């Protein structure tokens, strides 16, 4: 994988000042270990916390970590980041994985007004990218209001819903975008997410798709947000546009969920208000010379992130191993790539870099989901490995 930047720039802007934790594959153990990042290197935490879930479910993860004796150094931060790029990996040295393991992987959709319009465009196009420009123009003209100013679930939203329905413009995406109930779905399965430097996968039948750069909240079983990271909710616009009932196929494919590089735990340097102020940038660079640079600002989200959490974990639904929650994106690329009016779609070989000042940079390379490495190390394999290492 080409690296047009210093891999250390993939750390947050303040470097290792915050509390950064994650997971690494440790070849000598033939399995993964939770790790913590320090200025002088990356350290294995498995003897104290055999899984990320066990660390993050502690009453106070920071207090658990402070007295730990860090005597199992896996290498420098730069070494692990560089060895995480799959096409130049030394299989005998550690590399980074997605920084979660047993947690459920959930996602909230249509949480930004700009992406809301694009979801309706997909629905109206029935998955045909050639119709996108005309549908988008007509829809915006018909709505005649700035959806960003409409508070979901408000009286104003209800009145707008009635007016749009009267004109035959109501949509299931408008329902979750400005209605009282957020869209929350299962993005992927525990242990299936890929990490920094890995390939991300597109279904081989998809011809209209895109990355979705998102903040990912890390939530414990009690519903408390304990940290955040970055994610790429790889999305198939054509599949979902054909039918909302194809959401599972549009969202959950081999390597279609990327998370990383590290979880930044909430401490005196970083908290939920810093999350609310994050600005995510995304750069897509293709082998064909195409480039795309966009920004997704968390300040423009329509629903507060803690509201999204409370709609996900509550008295009606529990997650005993914790969860991570993609909170949505305002990014919906419309810059034409191949043909006028068809907007953006990925090509194999695209490099995708998602960055925020507080959480670092997540970098991945695009491939087909049937060509990337198959997912083979699941929960049962993890339990067996931990037992063999004497950690269970």
């Amino acid at each position: 994988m080409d690296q047009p930047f210093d891999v250390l720039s993939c750390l947050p802007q303040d470097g290792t000042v915050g509390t950064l934790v994650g997971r690494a594959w440790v070849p000598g153990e033939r399995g993964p270990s939770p790790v913590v990042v320090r200025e002088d290197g990356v350290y294995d935490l498995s003897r104290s916390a055999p899984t990320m879930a066990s660390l993050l479910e502690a009453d106070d993860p920071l207090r658990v970590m402070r007295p730990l004796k860090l005597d199992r150094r896996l290498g420098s931060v730069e070494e692990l980041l560089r060895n995480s790029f799959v096409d130049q990996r030394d299989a005998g040295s550690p590399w980074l994985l997605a920084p979660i393991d047993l947690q459920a992987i959930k996602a909230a959709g249509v949480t930004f007004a700009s992406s809301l319009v694009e979801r309706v465009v997909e629905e109206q196009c029935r998955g045909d990218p050639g119709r996108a420009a005309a549908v988008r123009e007509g829809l915006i003209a018909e709505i005649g209001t700035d959806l960003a100013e409409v508070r979901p679930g408000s009286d104003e939203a209800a009145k707008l819903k009635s007016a749009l329905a009267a004109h035959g413009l109501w949509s299931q995406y408008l329902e979750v975008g400005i209605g009282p109930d957020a869209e929350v779905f299962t993005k992927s399965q525990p242990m299936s997410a890929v990490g920094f430097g890995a390939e991300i996968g597109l279904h081989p039948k998809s011809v209209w798709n895109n990355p979705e750069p998102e903040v990912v909240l890390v939530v414990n079983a009690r519903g408390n947000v304990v940290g955040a990271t970055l994610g790429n909710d790889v999305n198939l616009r054509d599949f979902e546009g054909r039918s909302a009932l194809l959401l599972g196929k549009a969202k959950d494919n081999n390597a279609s969920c990327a998370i990383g590089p590290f979880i930044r735990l909430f401490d005196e340097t970083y908290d939920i208000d810093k999350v609310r102020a994050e600005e995510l940038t995304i750069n897509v660079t293709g082998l064909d010379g195409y480039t795309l640079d966009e920004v997704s600002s968390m300040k423009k989200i329509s629903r507060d992130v803690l509201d999204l959490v409370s709609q996900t974990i509550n008295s009606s639904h529990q997650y005993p191993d914790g969860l991570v929650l993609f909170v949505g994106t305002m990014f919906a690329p419309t810059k034409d790539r191949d043909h006028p009016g068809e907007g953006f779609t990925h090509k194999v070989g695209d490099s995708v870099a998602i960055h925020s000042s507080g959480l670092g940079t997540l970098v991945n390379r695009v491939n087909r989901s049937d060509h990337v490495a198959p997912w083979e190390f699941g929960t049962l394999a993890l339990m067996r490995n931990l037992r063999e290492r004497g950690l269970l």
Side-chain angles (χ1 to χ4, degrees):
M1 180 174 290
D2 296 332
Q3 297 174 49
F5 50 77
D6 178 357
V7 289
L8 288 179
S9 68
C10 295
L11 290 174
Q13 192 171 50
D14 55 359
T16 59
V17 170
T19 307
L20 304 178
V21 295
R23 285 168 70 241
W25 185 267
V26 184
E29 304 287 3
R30 299 190 302 278
S33 289
V35 298
V36 61
V37 178
R38 293 287 188 255
E39 186 176 5
D40 64 341
V42 178
Y43 290 86
D44 188 329
L45 296 176
S46 59
R47 291 178 181 174
S48 301
T51 66
M52 285 298 295
S54 61
L55 172 63
L56 299 174
E57 286 304 313
D59 289 337
D60 185 351
L62 296 177
R63 187 175 63 189
V64 170
M65 294 176 59
R66 287 189 185 106
L68 293 181
K69 182 180 180 182
L70 300 179
D71 58 355
R72 302 187 71 194
R73 185 177 182 273
L74 299 179
S76 69
V77 182
E78 182 176 6
E79 286 169 342
L80 265 76
L81 285 167
R82 198 171 296 280
N83 200 44
S84 298
F85 290 105
V86 65
D87 57 356
Q88 60 183 45
R89 180 173 298 156
D90 173 7
S93 298
W95 66 86
L96 296 176
L97 303 169
I100 60 169
D101 42 41
L102 302 179
Q103 294 88 347
I105 305 175
K106 308 294 288 187
V110 201
T111 56
F112 288 80
S114 58
S115 67
L116 166 57
V117 172
E118 287 304 306
R119 297 294 83 76
V120 180
V121 168
E122 290 169 14
E123 182 182 45
Q124 295 291 320
C125 288
R126 296 293 188 267
D128 178 6
R131 298 177 55 205
V135 170
R136 185 180 301 112
E137 183 178 346
L139 180 66
I140 293 173
E142 284 286 346
I143 290 177
T145 188
D146 184 358
L147 292 176
E149 300 300 321
V150 179
R151 183 168 58 86
S154 66
D155 291 341
E156 180 188 12
K159 292 177 182 177
L160 177 60
K161 173 180 178 178
S162 297
L164 291 171
H167 286 80
L169 292 173
W170 190 246
S171 158
Q172 58 201 336
Y173 294 102
L174 287 166
E175 177 65 51
V176 296
I178 63 176
D181 300 312
E183 177 193 18
V184 179
F185 58 91
T186 297
K187 167 59 186 176
S188 196
Q189 310 309 308
M191 300 288 296
S192 68
V194 299
F196 177 94
E199 289 186 312
I200 49 177
L202 301 172
H203 193 285
K205 292 184 179 180
S206 176
V207 297
W208 190 21
N209 44 67
N210 63 272
E212 293 192 354
E214 304 188 28
V215 168
V216 181
L217 299 179
V218 181
V219 186
N220 65 21
R222 298 175 294 285
N224 301 319
V225 183
V226 297
T229 185
L230 295 172
N232 188 346
D233 173 12
V234 181
N235 180 51
L236 310 182
R237 301 188 71 178
D238 45 4
F239 277 54
E240 186 176 359
R242 282 163 46 206
S243 170
L245 297 181
L246 292 174
L247 180 66
K249 186 167 291 246
K251 293 291 189 178
D252 187 4
N253 297 290
N254 193 26
S256 66
C257 177
I259 301 176
F262 302 104
I263 293 170
R264 185 163 187 171
L265 296 180
F266 289 171
D267 58 14
E268 64 276 5
T269 71
Y270 196 79
D271 57 19
I272 196 66
D273 286 330
K274 294 286 182 66
V275 169
R276 292 184 174 112
E278 284 286 8
E279 295 240 329
L280 276 64
T281 62
I282 181 167
N283 169 265
V284 179
T285 302
L287 299 177
D288 57 354
Y290 177 91
T291 60
L292 179 70
D293 293 283
E294 298 282 352
V295 177
S296 180
S297 173
M298 286 295 294
K299 294 178 182 178
K300 296 184 179 181
I301 197 168
S302 300
R303 300 180 191 268
D304 185 69
V305 291
L306 293 185
D307 174 47
L308 294 173
V309 172
S310 68
Q311 291 207 39
T312 305
I313 181 169
N314 47 57
S315 60
S316 297
H317 205 313
Q318 296 78 47
Y319 297 91
D321 297 313
L323 70 128
V324 294
L325 178 64
F326 285 72
V327 300
T329 182
M330 65 179 287
F331 175 76
T334 58
K335 178 185 175 183
D336 292 334
R337 184 166 195 172
D338 290 321
H339 304 290
E342 291 194 3
F344 170 86
T345 194
H346 267 310
K347 293 186 178 182
V348 168
D350 283 352
S351 177
V352 184
I354 298 168
H355 171 80
S356 84
S357 62
L359 298 172
T361 306
L362 173 63
V363 183
N364 299 99
R365 174 66 59 81
V366 173
N367 203 342
R368 285 175 33 168
S369 59
D370 57 343
H371 288 173
V372 302
W375 174 34
E376 297 177 332
F377 195 92
T379 303
L380 184 58
L382 175 64
M383 296 301 107
R384 287 171 174 161
N385 176 259
L386 294 177
R387 183 184 61 192
E388 291 170 358
R389 294 159 64 180
L391 298 176
L392 282 185

